[in-house]
Amino acid sequence: MTNRKSNPAAPKPKAKVSKSDQVKSLLAKPEGMTIEVLSKKLGWQTHTTRAALTRLKQAGVEVEKLEPADGSRQSRYRIAGAKK
């Protein structure tokens, strides 16, 4: 007869957050984000970030393009209706 110890239940892995959910959560900020800042936070190249914004728009998410912040030349983006 073999002495077997019961294996404790392995902790459930955390649900993976999809890339589009990551983008949505970052763009939900009222001040918005530039493509460059968004790319750095996600670890993506800028063209990949722009493509993700396009895919969000195609999926029906309204993405607003904001004027550049004072002293900047880069446009900012946010999800429409983000609390101001």
Side-chain angles (χ1 to χ4, degrees):
M1 181 181 269
T2 307
N3 245 349
R4 292 187 184 184
K5 294 182 181 180
S6 62
N7 290 338
K12 292 183 181 179
K14 292 183 180 180
K16 269 188 145 180
V17 177
S18 71
K19 291 181 180 185
S20 64
D21 287 341
Q22 291 174 355
V23 174
K24 286 178 192 177
S25 69
L26 290 170
L27 292 178
K29 298 181 180 187
E31 66 276 3
M33 296 191 123
T34 64
I35 294 292
E36 287 74 20
V37 171
L38 195 56
S39 296
K40 283 184 180 180
K41 289 198 178 269
L42 295 168
W44 298 351
Q45 294 184 2
T46 55
H47 67 275
T48 305
T49 305
R50 286 188 190 93
L53 289 179
T54 300
R55 285 191 300 276
L56 281 178
K57 291 176 188 178
Q58 290 171 344
V61 176
E62 191 174 342
V63 178
E64 295 177 324
K65 182 177 179 180
L66 306 172
E67 293 296 317
D70 292 335
S72 175
R73 296 179 55 203
Q74 300 172 346
S75 296
R76 296 172 295 133
Y77 298 87
R78 74 171 178 205
I79 292 180
K83 293 183 181 180
K84 296 178 181 178

